[in-house]
Amino acid sequence: LESYTLSTPWDITTMGSATTVAIGSYFSSPYGTHGPTWNDTGTEINLVTTPDYYDYYAAKLSFGTAWDITSATTGSINGSALSQGRSITAFNSTGTKAYQFDGGQVYQYNLGSAYAWSAESGAADASYNIGSTLSLYGFPRQIAFSSDGLIGVVFDTGISYNGVITQFQLGTAYDVSTIISGTAQSTSLSIGIAYADRCGCYMSPDNTKLYVIAQSAFGQPRVYQFSVA
């Protein structure tokens, strides 16, 4: 994991130096961890681990000090594998629903309690082929929501691997099965992407900024910040 301190909230141009913590030892996961997503208090990161290359397991990492990755204390992993998906990409506003995105398909999990992702295994509670509905091309990798859950954003590599953001409206907050027909708008970001697995997107709480993570062929992963009208 890497964390950065910003001198101005939500402005990546004010980013300081990185703090790095190796977390593989918490999960015995030689093939990687995917999609770390914080809970609302900063005391846990929820993720997916791949200990045997073929299977994916829900897991969490706990912290003694909120938002401080150097204070990691314990990691826990579910004993049973998930049926699909590589990473957890988003929660709803209450933390009672979690979403995975894999191959254009969104998987929704109804959690027993807020942010209790590591208790999940087996099949998702619902799924929806959002890639087909939105006519996504390339490799759709991550979904993000506005703070009220009525706007969704999908990050897609695009056919030419130049990065594409597609925004759409939802009839019911955080329910991807209620996409309103004709609301999708796609924009090419022209940022150059080499590795489809190292991509992501996130919206600021006030919905005014969009952040994209992508990696070019010979560079390190980069964070891009865009203003949202």
Side-chain angles (χ1 to χ4, degrees):
L1 286 176
E2 289 187 355
S3 70
Y4 299 84
T5 298
L6 306 179
S7 57
T8 301
W10 303 102
D11 184 356
I12 65 171
T13 65
T14 66
M15 183 183 295
S17 58
T19 298
T20 304
V21 174
I23 63 172
S25 60
Y26 289 96
F27 304 106
S28 300
S29 185
Y31 294 102
T33 55
H34 308 271
T37 305
W38 290 96
N39 68 354
D40 60 341
T41 60
T43 55
E44 292 177 355
I45 280 180
N46 298 274
L47 41 83
V48 173
T49 65
T50 316
D52 55 10
Y53 189 74
Y54 299 104
D55 297 312
Y56 299 95
Y57 295 80
K60 72 175 179 181
L61 182 61
S62 300
F63 300 89
T65 302
W67 311 106
D68 181 1
I69 66 172
T70 65
S71 69
T73 55
T74 56
S76 60
I77 181 172
N78 195 301
S80 300
L82 298 163
S83 296
Q84 69 285 306
R86 288 196 172 197
S87 63
I88 176 173
T89 64
F91 288 105
N92 67 350
S93 59
T94 60
T96 56
K97 297 183 187 297
Y99 303 86
Q100 285 183 304
F101 205 167
D102 192 13
Q105 196 85 4
V106 174
Y107 298 94
Q108 177 182 303
Y109 296 81
N110 301 323
L111 307 183
S113 57
Y115 299 98
W117 166 248
S118 61
E120 294 299 315
S121 63
D125 294 295
S127 64
Y128 190 69
N129 191 343
I130 195 173
S132 174
T133 302
L134 299 178
S135 300
L136 302 177
Y137 301 99
F139 294 92
R141 285 302 177 189
Q142 191 157 3
I143 189 169
F145 297 100
S146 60
S147 56
D148 61 6
L150 293 175
I151 295 177
V153 174
V154 169
F155 180 71
D156 185 356
T157 61
I159 296 176
S160 302
Y161 276 68
N162 56 0
V164 175
I165 284 289
T166 300
Q167 176 180 300
F168 53 92
Q169 296 178 24
L170 302 172
T172 301
Y174 298 100
D175 185 350
V176 295
S177 69
T178 66
I179 292 175
I180 299 175
S181 177
T183 62
Q185 295 180 331
S186 296
T187 302
S188 175
L189 303 178
S190 301
I191 56 179
I193 300 166
Y195 301 101
D197 285 341
R198 301 175 186 177
C199 299
C201 65
Y202 184 80
M203 293 187 71
S204 62
D206 63 0
N207 306 320
T208 62
K209 292 183 175 65
L210 175 71
Y211 306 89
V212 170
I213 300 172
Q215 183 172 352
S216 62
F218 302 105
Q220 294 295 316
R222 298 178 66 87
V223 179
Y224 300 85
Q225 176 178 304
F226 300 88
S227 296
V228 180

